[in-house]
């Protein structure tokens, strides 16, 4: 029997995967949103399965609370958190948290009040439904944002709200369910509920962050083995959820979110370029699988419920469903168009009206609300009504707002990049044409190419270069760009180049993790200053956590044998930091001039930026010379360690290539790398 059961499960999974793959191919050709298309396909399959005996196997696919929460939700949340821009999230944390916590609670109260008044649901039953139906799930919308190139701030607002309000909804749902079960409904119950909420919400953040940090130590030991790396990140995603839920009884969703953010930071700042790409691709695939299963099963479940047949045959149910949809839309409108203007008034985060409209219409419902509805005990009063309303509203939001979101984004012109982004794009086009022209000019001198071939191609490149240059000039004239905007463009390109320089150095093994963290922090602050119009950016010296802890420990251990050792380490880190600042500030003017030297941008805007980099380079160079003179042994040690890291990275890259070419085995490569690491110690 167990053999047959496992075989049936395997067949079910393979059938779903095949349907998902075929659907992905067809929907791409039709240019229809993938996830929403899966819902429609699942709905059709579920409906046909009730009428055609050959398709009865489809009815074996059923959504359940355990399947959604413990199998599908962790990878979806972890993948979102892993790839989320944490700096952009922090800058928009106030609106995200206000919408996700007070916003969800307000929506719960509005939905509960109206439905308790107009439907058969009691007050507490309606509140329970309100808490679960207020959780947004904008997976389909986010995919559309990426496709259309929607602004990053809008994406982070919608996605961030969804991550945090999932946790809020689960906690609020469990608290209301507990109140119903115990019958304690006074002020004391509300007070205890609020305490339980904060403990669960923030406890989940702490547990997830600690678990992610601890597990990151394992990641450091497995960078050369991408398969082990994938496995560890999978353990982190599911482990954070289970530990938070079963051991500490705090929010598992927030645990996965915080663990994902920690590992995301580690991935960006600690892993090699190739490994970063592997990890990103693995979790993109994991999210694809989870989304494919969820949205197909939503449609199939609706078909199994005979959802539309029940609505059409039961007039009262159709009326209740209509009331529920209108109520949910009203609650969402009140939350967005009331709270966001308040946020705009009291914080620096300004969310324009067009962002608010998209956030309102993009509040789709999906996996979490269905999981909560299905988790309600079968004996619970009006349980079937709550489940069918949840399923119906999820279908409505996916099929109506979900399919019209693209048109709304285009109508609001949110698919158009900002003026500065468009100027950057125009400049990048010009730079690409210039690079192609220069390359053909070099190749023209080689005897291999016939003159008529190279001359014709060179002439073509010259024409394209002239067109790109005219487009750049016309763009500036059409948009009447000010000197300040042009300066801001130049400075943003300079910061981008500087970031590329340090990333290249990291990938080649030059920069240590501590120094990279310090450089990254400096670049983030510089980018923020430039975007705020502070040109040139005047930055106060800010140290990353590792260096601040080291300085604090040095003061604590003053006049002890450990003080000198710790001080030498800090000086060594400072020396390495200054050395690569000098290198970076030397490279930026060179690459910046090569990038935009013939771009018709006023030379004054470029010269000011170049002069600033040259000035800072000279100042930092003097500081390097001081350390060379005052601490020659530290300088020698630091440079030796840099060269050793470079040697290890280069040797590891060579061995990996040999493994891929089957020249040596993976075990041989691992032994050689291990011996090299031992020899370098």
């Amino acid at each position: 029997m167990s053999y047959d059961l496992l075989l049936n499960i395997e067949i079910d999974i393979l059938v779903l995967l095949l349907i998902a793959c075929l659907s992905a191919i067809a929907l791409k050709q039709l240019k229809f949103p993938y996830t929403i298309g899966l819902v429609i396909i699942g709905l059709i399959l579920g409906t046909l399965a009730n009428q055609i005996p050959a398709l009865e196997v489809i009815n074996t696919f059923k959504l359940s609370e355990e399947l959604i929460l413990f199998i599908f939700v962790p990878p979806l949340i972890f993948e979102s958190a892993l790839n989320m821009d944490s700096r952009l999230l922090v800058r928009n944390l106030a609106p995200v948290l206000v919408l996700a916590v007070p916003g969800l609670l307000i929506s719960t109260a509005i939905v509960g009040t109206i439905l308790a008044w107009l439907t058969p649901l009691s007050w507490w039953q309606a509140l329970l439904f309100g808490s679960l139906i207020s959780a947004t799930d904008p997976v389909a919308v986010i995919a559309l944002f990426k496709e259309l190139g929607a602004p990053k701030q809008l994406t982070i607002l919608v996605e961030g709200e969804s991550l945090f309000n999932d946790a809020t909804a689960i906690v609020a749902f469990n608290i209301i369910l507990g109140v119903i079960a115990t019958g304690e409904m006074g002020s004391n119950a509300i007070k205890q509920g609020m305490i339980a909420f904060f403990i669960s919400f923030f406890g989940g953040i702490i547990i997830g962050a600690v678990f992610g940090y601890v597990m990151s130590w394992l990641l450091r030991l497995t960078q050369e083995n991408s398969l082990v790396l994938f496995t560890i990140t999978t353990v982190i995603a599911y482990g954070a959820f289970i530990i938070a839920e079963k051991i500490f009884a705090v929010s598992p969703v927030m645990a996965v979110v915080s663990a994902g953010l920690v590992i995301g930071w580690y991935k960006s700042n600690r892993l090699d370029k190739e490994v970063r790409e592997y990890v990103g691709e693995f979790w993109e695939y994991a999210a694809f699988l989870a989304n494919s299963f969820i949205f197909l099963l939503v449609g199939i479940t609706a078909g199994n419920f005979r959802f539309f047949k029940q609505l059409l045959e039961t007039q009262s149910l159709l009326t209740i469903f209509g009331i529920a949809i209108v109520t949910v839309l009203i609650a969402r409108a009140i939350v967005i168009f009331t709270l966001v203007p308040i946020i705009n008034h009291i914080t620096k985060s300004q969310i324009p009206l067009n962002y608010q409209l998209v956030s309102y219409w993009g509040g789709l419902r999906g996996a979490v609300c269905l999981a909560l509805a299905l988790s309600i005990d079968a004996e619970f009063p009006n349980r079937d009504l709550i489940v069918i309303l949840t399923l119906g509203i999820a279908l409505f939001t996916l099929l109506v707002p979900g399919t019209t979101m693209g048109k709304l984004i285009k109508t609001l012109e949110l698919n158009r990049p900002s003026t500065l982004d468009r100027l950057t794009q125009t400049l990048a086009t010009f730079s690409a044409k210039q690079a192609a022209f220069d390359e053909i000019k070099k190749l023209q001198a080689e005897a291999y190419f016939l003159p008529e071939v190279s001359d014709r191609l060179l002439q073509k490149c010259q024409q394209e270069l002239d067109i790109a240059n005219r487009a750049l000039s016309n763009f500036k004239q059409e948009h009447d760009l000010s000197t300040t905007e042009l300066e801001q463009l130049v400075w943003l390109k300079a910061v981008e180049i500087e970031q590329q320089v340090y990333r290249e150095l990291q990938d080649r093994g030059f920069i240590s993790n501590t120094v990279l963290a310090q450089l990254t922090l400096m670049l983030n602050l510089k980018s923020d200053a430039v975007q705020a119009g502070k040109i040139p950016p005047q930055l106060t010296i800010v140290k990353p956590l590792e260096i601040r802890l080291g300085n604090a420990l040095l003061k604590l251990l003053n006049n002890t044998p450990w003080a000198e050792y710790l001080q030498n380490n800090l000086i060594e880190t400072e020396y390495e930091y200054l050395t690569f600042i000098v290198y970076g500030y030397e490279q930026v003017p060179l690459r910046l001039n090569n990038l935009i030297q013939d771009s018709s941008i006023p030379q004054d805007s470029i010269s000011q930026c170049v002069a600033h980099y040259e000035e800072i380079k000279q100042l930092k160079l003097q500081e390097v010379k001081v350390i060379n003179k005052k601490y020659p042994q530290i300088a020698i040690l630091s440079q030796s360690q840099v060269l050793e890291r470079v040697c290890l990275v280069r040797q590891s890259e060579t061995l990996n290539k040999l493994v891929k070419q089957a020249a040596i085995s993976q075990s041989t490569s691992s032994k050689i790398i291990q011996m090299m690491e031992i020899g370098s110690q």
Side-chain angles (χ1 to χ4, degrees):
M1 292 296 292
S2 60
Y3 172 82
D4 292 338
L5 178 61
L6 288 174
L7 182 61
N8 288 336
I9 293 174
E10 182 180 356
I11 293 172
D12 292 349
I13 292 173
L14 290 175
V15 169
L16 285 179
L17 285 176
L18 181 60
I19 293 172
C21 291
L22 294 175
S23 301
I25 296 170
L27 292 169
K28 185 176 182 180
Q29 295 295 322
L30 296 172
K31 295 182 179 180
F32 194 83
Y34 172 67
T35 50
I36 297 170
L38 285 181
V39 173
I40 297 174
I41 291 169
L43 188 60
I44 294 171
L45 289 173
T47 303
L48 292 177
N50 294 319
Q51 303 172 1
I52 303 174
L55 295 177
E56 284 184 354
V57 66
I58 297 295
N59 287 325
T60 62
F61 306 139
K62 293 181 180 179
L63 279 177
S64 65
E65 174 207 3
E66 294 81 5
L67 187 63
I68 295 174
L69 289 182
F70 289 95
I71 303 299
F72 296 146
V73 166
L76 288 175
I77 294 175
F78 188 79
E79 191 270 340
S80 292
L82 186 72
N83 296 313
M84 186 170 286
D85 187 336
S86 56
R87 289 180 58 251
L88 193 57
L89 176 63
V90 169
R91 286 206 296 267
N92 293 276
L93 194 58
V96 166
L97 285 179
V98 169
L99 290 175
V101 183
L104 184 134
L105 298 178
I106 291 171
S107 175
T108 298
I110 294 171
V111 172
T113 301
I114 296 177
L115 293 189
W117 176 38
L118 297 175
T119 71
L121 297 175
S122 68
W123 165 257
W124 285 103
Q125 292 167 8
L127 272 183
L128 189 70
F129 174 74
S131 66
L132 66 89
I133 206 62
S134 297
T136 58
D137 182 11
V139 171
V141 174
I142 296 300
L144 192 61
F145 284 179
K146 294 176 181 177
E147 180 183 338
L148 296 177
K152 290 183 178 179
Q153 185 190 14
L154 176 60
T155 302
I156 207 77
L157 285 170
V158 174
E159 191 170 14
E161 180 197 359
S162 172
L163 287 178
F164 286 95
N165 75 12
D166 280 351
T168 308
I170 292 173
V171 175
F173 176 86
N174 288 328
I175 290 173
I176 294 172
L177 201 60
V179 169
I180 295 173
T182 59
E184 297 179 4
M185 303 179 184
S187 58
N188 187 47
I190 295 175
K191 181 181 178 181
Q192 290 179 350
M194 291 178 63
I195 294 172
F197 175 83
F198 281 103
I199 291 175
S200 180
F201 190 87
F202 292 103
I205 293 176
I206 294 171
I207 295 300
V210 171
F211 182 68
Y213 180 77
V214 171
M215 294 298 289
S216 68
W217 286 91
L218 281 179
L219 296 178
R220 300 180 188 185
L221 303 175
T222 59
Q223 288 198 38
E224 73 282 355
N225 193 327
S226 57
L227 298 179
V228 176
L229 202 67
F230 300 160
T231 306
I232 293 175
T233 54
T234 303
V235 171
I236 294 171
Y238 284 100
F241 193 95
I242 294 171
I243 290 171
E245 171 77 9
K246 298 299 182 182
I247 298 179
F248 293 96
V250 293
S251 171
V253 172
M254 288 313 306
V256 178
V257 169
S258 57
L261 291 173
V262 169
I263 300 303
W265 178 90
Y266 180 85
K267 174 176 77 77
S268 300
N269 295 281
R270 294 290 189 266
L271 297 181
D272 296 336
K273 179 182 179 181
E274 191 177 49
V275 179
R276 289 196 302 269
E277 293 174 354
Y278 287 158
V279 172
E281 290 172 358
F282 170 78
W283 279 102
E284 185 178 353
Y285 175 65
F288 166 79
L289 285 182
N291 278 322
S292 299
F293 280 122
I294 283 180
F295 286 100
L296 262 178
L297 290 174
V298 166
I300 291 172
T301 302
N304 289 340
F305 265 85
R306 294 180 171 86
F307 175 74
F308 292 108
K309 185 177 181 181
Q310 289 189 59
L311 285 182
L312 295 174
E313 291 180 353
T314 311
Q315 184 64 37
S316 60
L317 180 59
L318 182 61
T319 303
I320 294 170
F321 178 60
I323 293 172
I325 288 178
V326 173
T327 301
V328 169
L329 292 176
I330 290 173
R332 180 71 178 167
I334 292 173
V335 168
I336 295 294
F337 300 116
T338 301
L339 293 183
V340 173
I342 295 174
I343 297 168
N344 286 342
H345 183 69
I346 62 178
T347 69
K348 294 181 181 179
S349 300
Q350 295 301 304
I351 304 173
L353 181 60
N354 52 1
Y355 283 24
Q356 297 175 41
L357 289 169
V358 172
S359 181
Y360 164 70
W361 198 238
L364 311 186
R365 272 62 172 181
V368 171
C369 65
L370 281 171
L372 294 177
L374 292 170
S375 71
I376 300 174
D377 189 86
E379 303 301 321
F380 188 86
N382 287 320
R383 189 258 188 188
D384 290 344
L385 178 59
I386 291 175
V387 171
I388 199 167
L389 288 179
T390 304
L391 186 59
I393 291 174
L395 284 174
F396 172 81
T397 57
L398 287 167
L399 299 179
V400 180
T403 56
T404 56
M405 178 56 68
K407 187 173 182 180
L408 176 62
I409 291 175
K410 292 177 181 178
T411 301
L412 297 174
E413 296 187 346
L414 289 174
N415 60 318
R416 296 187 65 192
S418 66
T419 302
L420 193 61
D421 288 339
R422 277 179 281 152
L423 179 56
T424 302
Q425 181 179 341
T426 306
L427 178 59
T429 302
F430 171 82
S431 301
K433 299 297 182 183
Q434 180 69 58
F437 178 81
D438 293 341
E439 185 66 21
I440 296 300
K441 203 169 184 180
K442 289 179 183 177
L443 294 174
Q444 191 179 32
E446 298 187 14
Y448 177 79
F449 296 97
L450 297 173
E452 53 266 31
V453 175
S454 58
D455 289 344
R456 186 172 65 250
L457 190 55
L458 191 65
Q459 184 179 5
K460 178 184 177 184
C461 288
Q462 182 64 65
Q463 292 173 350
E464 292 177 348
L465 184 60
D466 292 339
I467 293 172
N469 199 12
R470 285 197 299 272
L472 186 60
S473 300
N474 293 338
F475 185 93
K476 290 186 293 183
Q477 293 174 1
E478 290 172 6
H479 294 82
D480 193 23
L481 296 175
S482 65
T483 303
T484 301
E485 288 175 311
L486 290 172
E487 286 180 348
Q488 191 178 32
L489 168 68
V490 171
W491 275 92
L492 287 174
K493 293 304 294 183
V495 173
E496 181 183 323
I497 291 170
E498 190 178 352
Q499 187 175 27
Q500 290 172 353
V501 170
Y502 299 141
R503 181 64 75 182
E504 289 170 4
L505 290 172
Q506 181 210 13
D507 291 338
R508 292 167 60 191
F510 278 87
I511 300 179
S512 64
N513 291 335
T514 302
V515 172
L516 180 65
Q518 190 172 0
L519 290 169
T520 301
L521 179 59
M522 180 268 294
L523 284 173
N524 289 343
L525 294 173
K526 186 184 291 187
S527 178
D528 291 342
V530 172
Q531 291 180 9
K534 298 176 183 178
I535 299 174
Q538 302 297 327
L539 303 177
T540 56
I541 298 176
V542 180
K543 305 290 186 183
L545 181 60
E546 298 99 316
I547 295 179
R548 280 182 284 167
L549 289 175
N551 286 323
L553 191 58
L554 180 61
K555 293 179 181 179
L556 187 65
L557 298 175
N558 193 22
N559 298 323
T560 67
W562 293 97
E564 183 179 355
Y565 172 78
L566 186 57
Q567 185 178 29
N568 287 341
N569 280 340
L570 290 171
I571 295 172
E572 182 185 331
T573 299
E574 183 68 11
Y575 179 79
E576 184 182 337
Y577 171 76
L578 292 171
T579 300
F580 291 118
I581 282 286
V582 170
Y583 178 80
Y585 277 50
E586 183 180 82
Q587 289 295 309
V588 169
L590 294 174
R591 300 191 188 188
L592 188 64
N593 280 321
N594 290 336
L595 183 66
I596 58 179
Q597 58 184 348
D598 297 322
S599 62
S600 302
I601 290 180
Q603 190 61 38
D604 290 345
S605 301
I606 304 171
S607 299
Q608 182 193 23
C609 180
V610 169
H612 177 81
Y613 271 87
E614 290 287 352
E615 179 185 354
I616 300 300
K617 184 190 79 171
Q618 293 301 324
L619 291 174
K620 299 302 180 184
L621 187 58
Q622 291 303 316
E623 294 182 38
V624 170
K625 291 179 179 179
V626 168
I627 296 178
N628 278 332
K629 185 176 181 180
K630 191 173 181 180
Y631 305 100
Q633 293 302 318
I634 291 178
I636 293 171
L637 178 62
S638 176
Q639 293 187 14
S640 299
Q641 289 177 344
V642 168
L643 288 179
E644 286 175 0
R645 286 199 303 268
V646 172
C647 288
L648 282 173
V649 168
R650 186 57 181 162
Q651 291 175 88
S652 297
E653 289 176 348
T654 303
L655 290 171
N656 288 334
K657 288 181 181 178
L658 291 173
V659 170
K660 291 179 180 179
Q661 295 168 2
I664 61 174
S665 66
Q666 182 65 58
S667 61
T668 301
S669 173
S670 299
K671 288 177 183 178
I672 296 173
I673 291 174
Q674 187 176 8
M675 286 188 293
M676 289 190 303
E677 290 175 346
I678 293 173
S680 66
Q681 293 175 357

